[in-house]
Amino acid sequence: MDIKNTNLLNKNRLSAITDANNSLLDGYLQVVEAFSKLTYQSVYVIDYTEMKFEYVSPNPLFLCGYTVEEVMGLGYDFYFKTVPESDLKLLDLINEAGFDFFDRQPADDKKLFSITYDFHLTHKNGKSVLINHKLTPLFLTEEGKMWKAICLVSISHNQMPGNVAIHKEGSDAVWYLNLEQRVWQKSLKPKLTERELEVLRLYAQGLTINQIADKIFVSPDTVKYYRRRIFENFRVTNIVEALAYAVNNKLI
């Protein structure tokens, strides 16, 4: 892959930032660092003026065997060291489609959007893991361009890379990227009944089918019925995928 021509490096690269923009930054990295202590997920911040990482948490998942200082020093070169070429092409496509979508949104709405997708990271030891990557803007320029973004990295609960979706805070709409046609397709988040949500929350607490049945005073077969309904609504095949879907879509 031609690194110099990739959308990863060129799609949203910014020029100099004004003093007015820089005045917004006082103390924000301390907030990011504090947040990173409260989550099991890897946290990092992208600065699009220099295509660098401005903060990287010590969570080992994203580091891939490197130190925080090494990852910070590599910046975007880190992706080219740790992401397989097939997934780099995927990231290139996502980057182009994602920023095109973002640029079309009203300026006042841009900070409401976040994007999530899955790709592989390869550890220094040669082992690869499928991760879920979420990104949302932290700061915009006066022209409404994404200046800094915060990213969260966790283990993916899917089987394959891709699974690209954009969410808008306070909206039931979700936009999914059709990778073959390279177009965004809008849909609404699935709705669960109160009883289905209750069953899903009890699964999240680690209860078995029989324990859930006792808890909500129904038979185990009824719990299985609710579980099947959840799977159908989410278009998943197991409870791990269902819980991941519910968390990613802020349904529980």
Side-chain angles (χ1 to χ4, degrees), residues 101-114 136-137 140 143-146:
F101 179 99
F102 183 78
D103 288 341
R104 293 196 301 269
Q105 306 311 312
D108 291 343
D109 287 355
K110 286 185 174 181
K111 283 192 175 181
L112 299 177
F113 289 94
S114 61
T136 194
L140 306 179
E143 298 79 25
K145 291 287 188 180
M146 196 181 303

Side-chain angles (χ1 to χ4, degrees), residues 11-25 46-51 99 102-103 105-111 137-149:
K11 184 63 178 179
N12 191 59
R13 191 161 198 160
L14 304 179
S15 55
I17 298 298
T18 66
D19 290 340
N21 282 137
N22 279 313
S23 68
L24 301 172
L25 300 182
I46 299 173
D47 183 322
Y48 288 100
T49 57
E50 300 180 47
M51 308 308 289
F99 279 113
F102 183 78
D103 288 341
Q105 306 311 312
D108 291 343
D109 287 355
K110 286 185 174 181
K111 283 192 175 181
L138 272 176
F139 296 99
L140 306 179
T141 66
E142 293 170 347
E143 298 79 25
K145 291 287 188 180
M146 196 181 303
W147 172 20
K148 297 181 190 292

Side-chain angles (χ1 to χ4, degrees), residues 1-11 76 79-80 83-100 117 119 177 179 182:
M1 188 172 193
D2 187 345
I3 293 175
K4 292 182 179 179
N5 293 325
T6 176
N7 286 308
L8 289 177
L9 288 178
N10 300 315
K11 184 63 178 179
Y76 259 53
Y79 297 124
F80 299 105
V83 180
E85 185 169 349
S86 60
D87 282 16
L88 276 176
K89 292 177 181 178
L90 171 66
L91 293 185
D92 200 46
L93 190 163
I94 293 170
N95 213 54
E96 181 173 18
F99 279 113
D100 284 345
Y117 46 90
F119 63 93
L177 181 60
L179 293 173
R182 301 193 176 192

Side-chain angles (χ1 to χ4, degrees), residues 34-252:
F35 167 71
S36 74
K37 295 175 184 176
L38 299 176
T39 178
Y40 70 92
Q41 300 175 95
S42 296
V43 181
Y44 70 105
V45 174
I46 299 173
D47 183 322
Y48 288 100
T49 57
E50 300 180 47
M51 308 308 289
K52 69 178 184 179
F53 299 153
E54 197 163 61
Y55 173 82
V56 176
S57 71
N59 185 307
L61 175 63
F62 181 64
L63 298 179
C64 293
Y66 295 89
T67 66
V68 168
E69 292 72 24
E70 287 172 329
V71 174
M72 294 273 288
L74 285 168
Y76 259 53
D77 283 343
F78 174 78
Y79 297 124
F80 299 105
K81 280 184 170 291
T82 60
V83 180
E85 185 169 349
S86 60
D87 282 16
L88 276 176
K89 292 177 181 178
L90 171 66
L91 293 185
D92 200 46
L93 190 163
I94 293 170
N95 213 54
E96 181 173 18
F99 279 113
D100 284 345
F101 179 99
F102 183 78
D103 288 341
R104 293 196 301 269
Q105 306 311 312
D108 291 343
D109 287 355
K110 286 185 174 181
K111 283 192 175 181
L112 299 177
F113 289 94
S114 61
I115 186 169
T116 177
Y117 46 90
D118 300 324
F119 63 93
H120 289 95
L121 286 177
T122 303
H123 195 277
K124 267 186 174 182
N125 62 17
K127 294 182 179 179
S128 181
V129 61
L130 186 65
I131 60 101
N132 176 255
H133 188 274
K134 298 182 180 69
L135 180 152
T136 194
L138 272 176
F139 296 99
L140 306 179
T141 66
E142 293 170 347
E143 298 79 25
K145 291 287 188 180
M146 196 181 303
W147 172 20
K148 297 181 190 292
I150 187 168
C151 306
L152 297 180
V153 177
S154 58
I155 295 290
S156 172
H157 295 289
N158 292 304
Q159 303 296 316
M160 300 292 291
N163 313 300
V164 190
I166 286 178
H167 301 266
K168 183 180 181 183
E169 186 70 22
S171 171
D172 287 333
V174 183
W175 292 263
Y176 296 100
L177 181 60
N178 184 313
L179 293 173
E180 292 185 359
Q181 300 178 14
R182 301 193 176 192
V183 296
W184 293 98
Q185 299 172 333
K186 184 178 180 181
S187 64
L188 295 178
K189 295 178 184 177
K191 298 286 187 181
L192 297 183
T193 66
E194 284 301 318
R195 181 47 64 93
E196 289 165 352
L197 283 171
E198 184 180 20
V199 168
L200 196 57
R201 292 187 187 108
L202 292 171
Y203 267 114
Q205 293 173 20
L207 273 64
T208 65
I209 290 175
N210 288 336
Q211 289 171 327
I212 294 172
D214 290 341
K215 189 86 171 178
I216 62 176
F217 307 107
V218 298
S219 70
D221 283 343
T222 301
V223 174
K224 292 177 183 178
Y225 165 76
Y226 289 133
R227 185 181 62 179
R228 185 169 65 252
R229 291 269 300 169
I230 293 167
F231 291 176
E232 290 171 352
N233 272 313
F234 290 175
R235 298 181 182 178
V236 299
T237 57
N238 60 61
I239 197 63
V240 173
E241 291 176 352
L243 288 169
Y245 183 94
V247 169
N248 286 336
N249 287 276
K250 300 180 180 179
L251 297 176
I252 59 172

